[in-house]
Amino acid sequence: MLLVVRVVEALKAIGVTEVVLAINYQPEVMLKFLKEFEKKLEIKITCSQETEPLGTAGPLALARDKLIDDSGEPFFVLNSDAISEYLLKEMIESHKSHRGEASIMVTKVDEPSKYGVVVMDQTTGEVEKFVEKPKIFVDNKINSGIYLFNPSVLDRIELKRTSIEKEVFPKIAAEKKLFAMVLPGFWMDIGQPKDYITGLRLYLDSLRKKSSPKLASGSHIVGNVLVDESAVIGDGCLIGPDVAIGPGCEIEPGVRLSHCTVMRGVRIKKHACISCSIIGWHSTVGRWALIENLTILGEDVHIGDEVYSNGGVVLPHMEDNKHFEVFKIKHFEAEDCHVMILQKFGTATC
C-alpha cells in the first residue's frame, strides 16, 4: 500500500486529477484503504476490476472509458511492483518534444542479461527494438514500467489477455512511434520480499537526499525511518535504520526494529525485536519475540510471546505454531542487560 500511495502522490504533484487502479483481487480492500488518501490529496481514485487475467495490456482496454476524455491528452501507466524516482513532469516534456505515440521510461542496470533490454537511439530516444534476456551485450537499459501514452494506443489493444511489452510495444516501435527516456535516479523491482526491503532502503535514501520532512527524528530513531502520524511508539524503543511503520500501529516499550516494514494496524508487544522482515496488516508480534532473516507475515498473523522466527512465510490469518518451526526464547533480566536463550519448542508442517 505504501508504494501505491507513493505513486498517487507523485501523480498528484504534477496535476493529475484522477487515478484508475487495475485490480484483479478484492478491490474493495484497496479502495477502503485509499479513501482517506483520496480526501487528503484531493484526487479521485477508482478501480477497474478484471474478472479474468488480462495480462499487462488487457486491463487498459477494460478501463478504456475511464482513460479517454474529450481533451485528447496523454495518460500515464505505472506498474506498482517497482519503486523509483518519478520524474513525471520531465517525461511529459520529453513526450511532447518527440511527438511520438508512446513514451517509456528506461533504467540502466548492471546485469541486463536478466531482463528484456531496450535498444534505443542515444540521440533521439527512438526505440529501435527489444531483446529478451540477451546472452551477449546489446545495451544496459531496461523497461522501468513507467509509460506515457496518447489515447490512440488504446486502439491497438483488444479486450483479451495481451502483453504490452511483447505484443504492443514492438508494433509501435516498428512504426517509429515509440520513444524512451532514461531514468536518472534509483529503480528497483520489488516483486520479491528481499527486493522490497532493498527498495525501501533506496526510497528512504532518496528522501534523505532531499531533506524530506517525512522522515522521523528523535533520540529513538536511527538512520532513515518513516512513521505514520497515527502510529504510537512506546518508551525505550530503538527504530531504524530503514524502517517504515504504517497507520494505526502500536509499538510497545522496548521494541527494536531495523530494515523492516510494519504495515497498518500491527501491534508489536514489549521487547520484541524485528529485522529484515515484513509484518502484514493487523498482525501481532508477542513479547520478547525475535523475528529476522526475511520472515514474512501475512495479514492478521499472530506470533506468540518469546517466539523466534529465522525466515519463512506465514500465510494470512494464521498463528505461528501452525506454519514454521518454532523456538521459544527464555530470558532473564539483569540490572543493566537482557540475556536471551533459544529453546526449541516444536515443529509443525503446513
Side-chain angles (χ1 to χ4, degrees), residues 111-119 129-136 138-139 141-143 163-167 170:
E111 297 183 50
S113 61
K114 296 168 54 179
Y115 305 91
V117 172
V118 180
V119 180
K129 62 181 179 179
F130 297 87
V131 181
E132 185 65 25
K133 297 182 179 179
K135 294 183 179 180
I136 60 174
V138 292
D139 209 321
K141 301 178 188 68
I142 66 170
N143 181 353
S163 168
I164 200 164
E165 299 86 359
K166 296 180 180 180
E167 299 176 65

Side-chain angles (χ1 to χ4, degrees), residues 48-51 54 57-66 158-159:
S48 176
Q49 184 180 10
E50 302 172 48
T51 56
L54 294 174
L60 296 177
L62 182 64
R64 180 187 179 96
D65 293 342
K66 299 178 184 292
E158 297 182 46
L159 185 54

Side-chain angles (χ1 to χ4, degrees), residues 80-190:
S80 61
D81 58 355
I83 189 167
S84 69
E85 297 278 8
Y86 292 110
L87 302 180
L88 304 182
K89 184 177 179 180
E90 292 84 349
M91 193 174 188
I92 292 173
E93 294 171 354
S94 173
H95 184 76
K96 289 180 178 179
S97 70
H98 60 61
R99 299 183 181 277
E101 188 175 8
S103 296
I104 67 175
M105 191 84 79
V106 297
T107 185
K108 296 179 181 180
V109 295
D110 295 330
E111 297 183 50
S113 61
K114 296 168 54 179
Y115 305 91
V117 172
V118 180
V119 180
M120 58 183 282
D121 186 293
Q122 302 300 321
T123 302
T124 66
E126 181 184 317
V127 175
E128 299 172 354
K129 62 181 179 179
F130 297 87
V131 181
E132 185 65 25
K133 297 182 179 179
K135 294 183 179 180
I136 60 174
F137 183 86
V138 292
D139 209 321
N140 65 343
K141 301 178 188 68
I142 66 170
N143 181 353
S144 72
I146 303 174
Y147 316 132
L148 186 57
F149 295 156
N150 289 349
S152 58
V153 170
L154 295 174
D155 297 332
R156 299 175 178 270
I157 305 172
E158 297 182 46
L159 185 54
K160 64 177 185 179
R161 187 164 189 160
T162 310
S163 168
I164 200 164
E165 299 86 359
K166 296 180 180 180
E167 299 176 65
V168 179
F169 285 163
K171 292 179 180 178
I172 303 177
E175 297 176 15
K176 300 184 180 301
K177 295 181 179 180
L178 181 64
F179 290 78
M181 172 184 168
V182 179
L183 178 68
F186 76 92
W187 178 89
M188 185 75 192
D189 183 329
I190 55 171

